[in-house]
Amino acid sequence: MIRILYLGDIVGSSGRRVIKQQLARLKQQYHIDVTIANAENAAHGKGITKKIYYQLCDMGIDYFSMGNHTFAKKDIYDLLPNIHNMVVPANMGEEIGVHTICFECKGKKIALSNLLTEVFMYGVTQSPFEMMSEILDQIDCDIHIVDIHGEATSEKIAFLYAFKDKLSLIVGTHTHVQTADEKIVDGCGYITDLGMCGTYHSILGRDIDEILARFLGQEKRPYKIAEGQAILHGIVVEIDENTNRCHSIQRIQIMEE
């Protein structure tokens, strides 16, 4: 079996902290071969910096997917041309970075792709369904993993049923709320949203008072990430080396010590 750990959106310093605390133990406990994480919120809730990227690599994350906040920090423009383990959304319209990377594990060629959904999202240049079909025509691999980053649960589930026969694993990201619908459909592992690695008592990782001020008083305050005890969300997946299909999928939730 190829064992993959996929972590939900890393939100700010608390998300990075709980990963640093828990990742090595998780990898040992589940005999992980490949660790992937969504890092589009790693730097104070929006984007990623060079410093944080290298910190996350040192913690043991092998590959990264991103999302709508990919280009929130200027560092990304210098970072992307010089690294080979990060994918950015294919249908975002940016000319820098790659939407799919291929790597080997246990003699298998694995592809990782990144897409945005359309419903309730901004700056999407092409349907993820059309874009995924184009990617599949271009990429030759044994196992294909996709991070579908977006709001609408129905769109993500529709994506599963459209591509379940051609993909081995589909993970939803962006909402920061872990869904309890992990499943395997015709050999394709799926979860609508991985959740987040961030502050537990928060509103999607952001400061509660800041968000309530916006909802209750129409008051705009500076963007603020919540502080406090963090939680780690993600999944552990087993891919059968003989069939290249998903054999098992397990949600994980771990509170910071």
Side-chain angles (χ1 to χ4, degrees):
M1 294 291 176
I2 296 174
R3 294 175 176 85
I4 298 169
L5 171 63
Y6 211 129
L7 299 176
D9 298 48
I10 304 166
V11 185
S13 60
S14 62
R16 303 194 304 270
R17 189 177 66 237
V18 72
I19 289 172
K20 184 176 182 180
Q21 181 188 95
Q22 297 290 339
L23 184 54
R25 182 187 63 79
L26 274 172
K27 291 172 76 170
Q28 182 178 23
Q29 178 182 349
Y30 291 101
H31 307 288
I32 297 299
D33 298 302
V34 179
T35 300
I36 312 172
N38 184 290
E40 70 130 10
N41 301 126
H44 197 67
K46 287 186 178 180
I48 192 169
T49 63
K50 286 183 184 178
K51 180 180 178 181
I52 289 172
Y53 163 78
Y54 287 111
Q55 286 176 346
L56 294 172
C57 288
D58 289 342
M59 290 178 199
I61 298 174
D62 301 307
Y63 300 97
F64 301 89
S65 53
M66 298 294 281
N68 57 303
H69 293 307
T70 297
F71 298 95
K73 300 288 187 288
K74 293 180 180 179
D75 275 17
I76 196 72
Y77 293 97
D78 294 327
L79 185 64
L80 284 176
N82 298 299
I83 61 175
H84 306 284
N85 65 342
M86 181 180 288
V87 289
V88 303
N91 53 344
M92 199 170 180
E94 293 284 344
E95 296 182 358
I96 188 170
V98 296
H99 58 67
T100 301
I101 54 176
C102 296
F103 56 92
E104 287 196 4
C105 181
K106 293 187 174 180
K108 293 292 183 177
K109 186 177 180 181
I110 301 176
L112 172 66
S113 297
N114 198 186
L115 292 162
L116 296 178
T117 62
E118 286 187 293
V119 179
F120 307 127
M121 300 291 283
Y122 299 96
V124 180
T125 59
Q126 186 177 355
S127 159
F129 295 87
E130 294 174 356
M131 183 62 77
M132 190 71 245
S133 295
E134 292 179 11
I135 293 171
L136 288 169
D137 287 339
Q138 300 166 7
I139 301 298
D140 180 24
C141 63
D142 300 308
I143 296 165
H144 204 143
I145 302 167
V146 174
D147 176 347
I148 182 78
H149 190 84
E151 288 279 358
T153 54
S154 60
E155 190 174 5
K156 294 177 185 178
I157 295 168
F159 189 88
L160 162 67
Y161 285 99
F163 296 106
K164 61 183 176 60
D165 296 328
K166 296 182 179 179
L167 302 176
S168 301
L169 177 63
I170 300 168
V171 301
T173 56
H174 180 69
T175 72
H176 298 191
V177 177
Q178 189 180 65
T179 53
D181 66 336
E182 73 279 12
K183 55 190 164 190
I184 300 171
V185 180
D186 295 340
C188 180
Y190 174 82
I191 187 168
T192 297
D193 204 283
L194 290 171
M196 71 170 181
C197 300
T199 302
Y200 181 67
H201 289 294
S202 69
I203 298 175
L204 309 185
R206 289 175 66 174
D207 181 75
I208 294 171
D209 290 338
E210 177 218 338
I211 299 299
L212 290 182
R214 289 173 178 262
F215 280 121
L216 300 177
Q218 304 296 311
E219 178 185 348
K220 291 187 177 180
R221 294 186 183 180
Y223 187 99
K224 186 178 180 181
I225 292 296
E227 298 179 358
Q229 187 181 25
I231 190 166
L232 180 149
H233 284 147
I235 55 170
V236 173
V237 174
E238 290 185 329
I239 305 290
D240 191 313
E241 295 168 75
N242 296 315
T243 64
N244 299 328
R245 307 303 288 163
C246 185
H247 174 75
S248 70
I249 181 169
Q250 178 183 344
R251 274 185 299 128
I252 53 173
Q253 293 186 8
I254 301 175
M255 291 295 295
E256 182 180 19
E257 296 173 0

